[in-house]
Amino acid sequence: MLSDLYFMSFRVIASVTSSTHEIKSKTVIFMEKDKIYLQLNQFTKPIPIIVVMKAMGMESDQEVVQMVGRDPRYGDLLYPSIQECAFERIYTQKQALQYMDDKVMYPGAGNQKEGRSKSILRDVFVAHVPVNSGNFRPKCIYTAVMLRRMMDAILNADTFDDKDYVGNKRLELSGQLISLLFEDLFKTMNSNAVELLNKATEKIHSSPLDLSLHIKTDIITNGLERAISTGNWDIKRFRMHRKGVSQVLSRLSYMASLGYMTRITPQFEKTRKTSGPRALQPSQWGMLCPCDTPEGEACGLTKNLALLTHVTTDQEEGPLMNLCYSLGVEDLSHLSGEEIHASYSFLVMFNGLILGKHRQPQRFANAMRMLRRSGKIGEFVSIFVNEKQHCIHIASDGGRVCRPLIIADKGISRVKEHHMKELRDGIRSFDDFLRDGLIEYLDVNEENNALIALYEHEDQDDVQRSSITHIEIEPLTILGVVAGLIPYPHHNQSPRNTYQCAMGKQAMGNVAYNQLFRADSLLYLLVYAQRPLLTTKTIELVGYDKLGAGQNATVAVMSFTGYDIEDAIVMNKSSLDRGFGRCIAMKKYTVTKEKYDGGFSDRIVKPQRGKDGALLKQNMRALDEDGFAAPGQIIRNHDIYVNKQTPKNTNRGSGPPLTDRDYKDSPAVYKGVDGETTVVDRVMLCSDTNDRLIIKCIIRHTRRPEVGDKFSSRHGQKGVCGTIVQQEDFPFSERGICPDLIMNPHGFPSRMTIGKMIELLGGKAGVSSGQFHYGSAFGEPSGNADTVEDISYTLVKHGFSYNGKDLLYSGIVGHPVQSYIFMGPIYYQKLKHMVIDKMHARASGPRVLLTRQPTEGRSRDGGLRLGEMERDCLIAYGASMLIFERLLISSDPYQVQVCRKCGLLGYYNHKLKTSYCSMCKNGENMAKMRMPYACKLLFQELQAMNVVPRLKLTEG
Amino acid sequence: MTLNTFHYAGVSAKNVTLGVPRLREIINVAKKIKTPSLSVYLKPEVNKKKELAKNVQCALEYTTLRSVTHATEIWYDPDPLGTIIEEDVEFVRSYYEMPDEDIDPDKISPWLLRIELNREMMVDKKLSMADIAEKINHEFDDDLSCIFNDDNADKLILRVRITNDEAPKGEIQDESAEDDVFLKKIESNMLTEMALRGIPDINKVFIKYGKVNKFEDTDGFKPDNEWMLDTEGVNLLAVMCHEDVDATRTTSNHLIEVIEVLGIEAVRRALLDELRVVISFDGSYVNYRHLAILCDTMTYRGHLMAITRHGINRNDTGPLMRCSFEETVDILLDAAVYAESDYLRGVTENIMLGQLAPIGTGGCALYLNDQMLQQAIELQLPSYVEGLDFGMTPARSPISGTPYHEGMMSPSYLLSPNIRASPITDAQFSPYVGGMAFSPAPSPGPTSPSYNPSSAKYSPSHAYSPSSPRLSPYSQTSPNYSPTSPTYSPTSPSYSQPSPSYSPTSPFTTSGGPSPDYSPTSPNYSPSGSYSPTAPGYSPSSTGQQFSPKDTDKDDENAQ
């Protein structure tokens, strides 16, 4: 039930999307050339609004004008519309209804035409306002309010609603979506049953009609399963066809899973032009994370929730409405138009429905809030007093985002020290705070009425301490879960935080406590995962420090070897030998033991051995005696890991049991890269729903970092390993410490990630003093982040320089490096982009069947495409022979026989060794020519379309 | 370039489309653009003073009666000489004290159209009541009579009545019944159609003071200031015809109009200017030639060709080329229906058919003259030390029989058959590049003797040698041919010096010793690096190192 006004090239529109249990409709009122019209899908043409008002019972123009407002300006704006209505000679309700009947879109559907427009007015137009026993008055008042708002917008452009304001947005949660789906499927099942029953009653049956036979049981199950597995929600009733509603949870790392679960995706297409929805909204504060958004197409559209955000669910409306009435809201039906728009009275709207008006809005709001704080009404009900539009919005619907804030009475927080002590001791919990009225949930609209302070006891110069109504719980909660990983994000340039939010989800680490028991199709684990030395509060809250996704590497920031250009990283070979950055890649291969008709099925046989016990076929090395690969065996390319045999004739039906001869081999062969030593980790046997045996073979590969693997710190500083240098050649400090990683200092100036430098300081201090330091966002005032001064002090106390720089000796030459080098531990993550998964080369290889050109993609051993733009560049160089070689000789050259007479392609008869033209029916005049196979294919396709490309040849 | 364009913080407070949307308009030759505008330059007499420029501004801006009207009313005012409206009583009376024309009061219709004008707009447009009345009279001649009050009155009122020609009295009733409808029509007509002033389509005119560079014969370009106008709305032809407008400089940003009014060359220039404006708005720079080639391509057909399927595919290129851009099936079907032929002249067609496209390298073909071939003399090729790879021509002139000296590796093997002939003829130095091939390098004196330019024998090598890196010290012709030393050490690359011949392949092996394995393709380094055909003298001194063969050469020399 959103109501919004937007400016569309000289057209002002007020639109209301109403949805009830039965119907969902959109009502649009717009003004064109000074006349106001109503547009509804049910009517073919827009209808003048005064006609609509008359049809609803307000026959006198004066009543309409009064209802809208007494200000003469409104009258002026309404005047042309009133004129038009008079022009059409519509003066009474009946005439109005008749006029509208003519314009109904689908006449004769269902009821007689007479009542069509009335029923449309009752059910579809502004559907959520109920019409009780033909009393259209609430609808009239609602329409009048819409008109008034629209005219306000025309007179004063400031009053336009902002489409992107978070308070006007609702989130659809899974329950709502599944309920829609279920409703649709249930109704489908019912209607199918009704149809079947109708058909059945026509025939004559011996037995009484059994209802249960006609209800297909699996419509609901299959429908739900299909929708959830594909992510396509197709609901006929609401004409909704959404894609990508359900997605597979990414188990790449713990952060990836968490980040996935806090994701919010919008439904509209990713049109480039609109920059409004993509921009960062101020109303997002505290509700949606400001820096966690993907780069590229979906930038700014896909958002993530902040740490403390809660999404509300629907609440009972009835009791709330009664409560409002008893608190002094005057019912609408008792009011006249004049009273509604009096300056002192505010309209009360509940979930988009007008309840009435109230003379003392502030008292009403305070009373409702007090009731909410004491728990008498739901804690997620929001009361918002809109001074500009003179209305009070009460919202209890679902899908709003809200967050908890500490209640402050005139600037003094209700949460006292003893409460905190009880919390620490475990006597009190968050819910207790909520119940005792110390904390409450505010949604975005209600935040507008509140004055929220960041900390208590702050001397506010420009704000009266007594007018503060709430206090933030903690500033670090404006960020989301994934952004909470970043230490000192408030010292970084904000795009870097955004990049880190994207990369943190690709870091390898531990996925879950039971990761070794899970059978994921692709699982990346870090062998020696560590927790960061510089943590944040979010990391501890979320549990990331229990799992870890990186290692604390000792990093020296200096230029070294020249292999560190453009963000490349120089790595220490001995560190790699000791296990730095080592990861395990586990892939799952599934084999099914099929069952066929007649009770026959595949079988698994043990590997055949010769007389001396040696294997007959060498590629069965990895197999155990039961035909499956043994865990721990090294498996190589072309090795068999399940020795399966399939019966040759699967359609036989039942018959005599099969012998060995009747089976053919269909082993499961491992396809891997030559040179990788992969090991079978474990083999799991299980059965699926159809009772077939499924064999899951998990193959593990331990990978050591090599040149080309991608690493990144937690500040958006990604880089590829440039070279691996022996520890002997690495610079070392006076204490003998050699860095694990050398990072190029050029990465700092333009990127401005000061957080990384402070992380290094904090880590170094932490290592020396034996403590973990904190770097939560905006945490210095409240103690959640350590200040640089304190860290420097610690460093000096332990004998290091306050700025983190050390004297390093060059490992190659032996003398000290001329400047002091910034060295310390930084938490580095290994990302899942490893060069072994990407490297690809092809000289010649498989070809596509249809066009005989090289295949595409690394998995098919494909070639790289010389696209149209690349062809244009070659043309610009005049490199004609290069084009010729690339696009003909190395791609799909093909010899064709062309008939000189008719210009068509003939064929070559290998037996007779002559060419022949099918058109001319002889073999004279044939010439041989070389053309790309794709061209020959084009010509044949064109011929099939009756377009004949004839070739005229010259000597070549 | 951003997609957003509304950042124009110009003086004139108008907005012009810029950025990507404007680029699209230009390239697609859009018939309707979002902000059509004229840049109007004024004649020298007028452009120095703001007042004069303002006059032109007012004269150009299209004003209808509607823009200055505050309200219109139709009254039934039976008495033409008086009025029932109190405000007007005075001025009507004063008007009819001295009636202007002889109008029979009976002929004047009792229906009155009373127009109240907006004072601010009248002042803004510099109009007076008299102007308007005159315009009305001009339009309607004697059919309407209009009275107006003074420009300084409280309200500016214009009273219009219809004059009926026929003798009334008898038919007053009917006519008066039609009169008010007629009056309404006149009212709407006057409001929309009647142009008070200005040129139609020119909605708003802005005045601005700009710097322009004027060219004077004596001093060159001097900056000068002048007043100029920008308009919203285009009507180039009419504006150019205005007497104070400098028709030689006034332009429009609407390309279709420019081509209609000024022609194809003008539109090419206008296209270039518009593109430049769009690109340099962000501060980017694109060289003239790139924009020029775009403009030329768009206009070379004599009309504006849009860079869309409407423009490109309407050319008379072959159907295969056209079908490869956007409307494949339609074009092929049309080609089939009209039996079009494709002469395979374009690039795309040749690529599709797998032939060498007639561009760049494929632009020339080699023809062999059969008859001359019959008269050709068989050449005796010298025996090489190591098999010369293909292309190796006997740079060593068979006559001298000496292969090049070791340093001279003349990659001239790459030479065309022509070279073969050269040793026989003389001085075929043909194109030596730079001609300085010889000598710049201080040939180690004694060696030079053999060098005589005339000995074309070797010259060809450099002349053509695609790579003859002449070793400098032995200035090319390093005369020391020691027939015995067939070892030209390819290593000589060091001598690469001014080998005028660019070595297409400069395949010099680096390793010392007569490793004849210069593969035509192995790029070897040139010690000097510059192998450019024009490589000027290369100081031999620098070639100090890597000259292993040098020693041998010297030995040879000495040996000689």
Side-chain angles (χ1 to χ4, degrees), chain A residues 272-273 275 871 875 878-881 883-884 887-888 929-932 935 938-939 942 945-947 951, chain B residues 3-4 24 320 324 329 332-333 335-336 347-348 351-363:
Chain A
R272 289 166 285 121
K273 303 228 179 120
S275 68
R871 172 202 70 140
I875 293 175
S880 175
M881 303 212 75
I883 297 180
F884 179 66
L887 295 182
L888 177 71
M929 137 169 201
R930 206 159 66 138
M931 60 159 64
C935 183
L938 173 68
F939 287 165
L942 286 178
M945 279 205 304
N946 259 333
V947 172
L951 295 166
Chain B
L3 291 174
N4 254 337
R24 289 193 74 226
L320 281 177
S324 70
V329 181
L332 287 173
L333 288 177
V347 184
T348 307
I351 293 180
M352 278 171 133
L353 287 187
Q355 299 179 327
L356 196 64
I359 324 161
T361 329

Side-chain angles (χ1 to χ4, degrees), chain A residues 875-944:
Chain A
I875 293 175
Y877 273 99
S880 175
M881 303 212 75
L882 182 59
I883 297 180
F884 179 66
E885 186 262 339
R886 277 286 98 192
L887 295 182
L888 177 71
I889 301 176
S890 306
S891 169
D892 52 353
Y894 185 68
Q895 280 271 8
V896 283
Q897 330 294 329
V898 183
C899 172
R900 283 212 203 89
K901 228 171 67 157
C902 61
L904 299 176
L905 305 177
Y907 65 91
Y908 184 72
N909 193 330
H910 284 276
K911 279 219 194 92
L912 303 174
K913 299 232 190 298
T914 50
S915 335
Y916 188 75
C917 171
S918 338
M919 187 72 151
C920 307
K921 305 257 191 305
N922 59 24
E924 304 142 22
N925 304 320
M926 297 303 281
K928 246 200 305 207
M929 137 169 201
R930 206 159 66 138
M931 60 159 64
Y933 188 86
C935 183
K936 169 245 185 210
L937 180 65
L938 173 68
F939 287 165
Q940 288 181 322
E941 285 176 346
L942 286 178
Q943 281 182 300

Side-chain angles (χ1 to χ4, degrees), chain A residues 508-529:
Chain A
M508 284 198 270
N510 289 317
V511 168
Y513 283 167
N514 64 346
Q515 64 196 8
L516 296 176
F517 296 113
R518 287 166 60 99
D520 288 294
S521 46
L522 187 58
L523 188 64
Y524 288 111
L525 303 175
L526 204 59
V527 176
Y528 296 111

Side-chain angles (χ1 to χ4, degrees), chain B residues 301-322:
Chain B
R301 297 204 153 264
H303 62 88
L304 270 177
M305 177 185 93
I307 312 287
T308 56
R309 62 176 183 275
H310 306 296
I312 299 180
N313 277 351
R314 301 290 172 262
N315 286 348
D316 52 356
T317 45
L320 281 177
M321 176 181 269
R322 278 179 287 128

Side-chain angles (χ1 to χ4, degrees), chain A residues 414-439:
Chain A
R414 283 196 195 177
V415 172
K416 308 273 185 251
E417 187 51 45
H418 66 92
H419 292 135
M420 296 304 293
K421 186 166 175 313
E422 286 166 17
L423 179 66
R424 263 175 289 210
D425 293 337
I427 306 174
R428 238 174 223 280
S429 74
F430 187 77
D431 291 326
D432 292 327
F433 274 82
L434 202 57
R435 224 175 313 122
D436 293 340
L438 305 171
I439 280 188

